């Protein structure tokens, strides 16, 4: 997963016409560390269908605030600079919940890119 560590990198990633899912995280977040072991496999399972990028909330200035990220980890799907769907809450996320969100993001993306 590419790491986004500046507002400019975030803009470039989310402007893509492809489906890009930003995973808002921080090094100090225990719930973020909980998802780390299975995220590489999830990323591999979705290769070619979407791009996952890791956004370090401490490194991207006010991007998290502008995106209304109130809890981490949070998942937000973008294409062409606009948000499609988000999975944001302050609860720990399971692998199944993340997969369900990624599938929903793909469905929304495909419905507007037919």
């Amino acid at each position: 997963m590419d790491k986004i560590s500046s507002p400019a990198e975030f803009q470039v990633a989310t402007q893509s016409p492809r489906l890009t899912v930003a995973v808002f995280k921080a090094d100090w977040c225990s719930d973020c560390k909980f998802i780390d072991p299975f995220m590489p496999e999830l990323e591999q399972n979705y290769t070619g269908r979407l791009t996952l990028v890791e956004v370090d909330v401490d490194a991207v200035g006010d991007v998290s605030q502008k995106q209304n990220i109130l809890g981490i980890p949070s998942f937000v799907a973008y294409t062409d600079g606009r948000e499609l769907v988000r999975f944001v809450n302050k609860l720990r996320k399971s692998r199944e919940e993340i997969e369900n969100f990624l599938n929903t993001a793909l469905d929304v993306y495909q419905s507007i890119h037919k």
Side-chain angles (χ1 to χ4, degrees), residues 35-55:
I35 69 170
D36 283 344
F38 59 79
M39 286 306 294
E41 185 181 342
L42 276 184
E43 183 175 22
Q44 186 176 9
N45 292 346
Y46 287 88
T47 297
R49 296 185 288 163
L50 58 82
T51 301
L52 284 162
V53 294
E54 182 178 319
V55 181

Side-chain angles (χ1 to χ4, degrees), residues 8 13 17 24 28 34-35 38 40 48 51 54 58 66 69 81 93 96 102 105 109:
F24 291 85
W28 48 263
F34 174 78
I35 69 170
F38 59 79
T51 301
E54 182 178 319
D58 293 327
K66 287 180 181 176
I69 302 301
K93 281 117 182 117
E96 182 180 3
L102 295 176
Y109 177 77

Side-chain angles (χ1 to χ4, degrees), residues 73-89:
S74 290
F75 297 76
V76 184
Y78 299 90
T79 188
D80 296 320
R82 63 189 173 125
E83 179 181 324
L84 297 180
V85 64
R86 63 175 44 210
F87 180 29
V88 176
N89 62 38

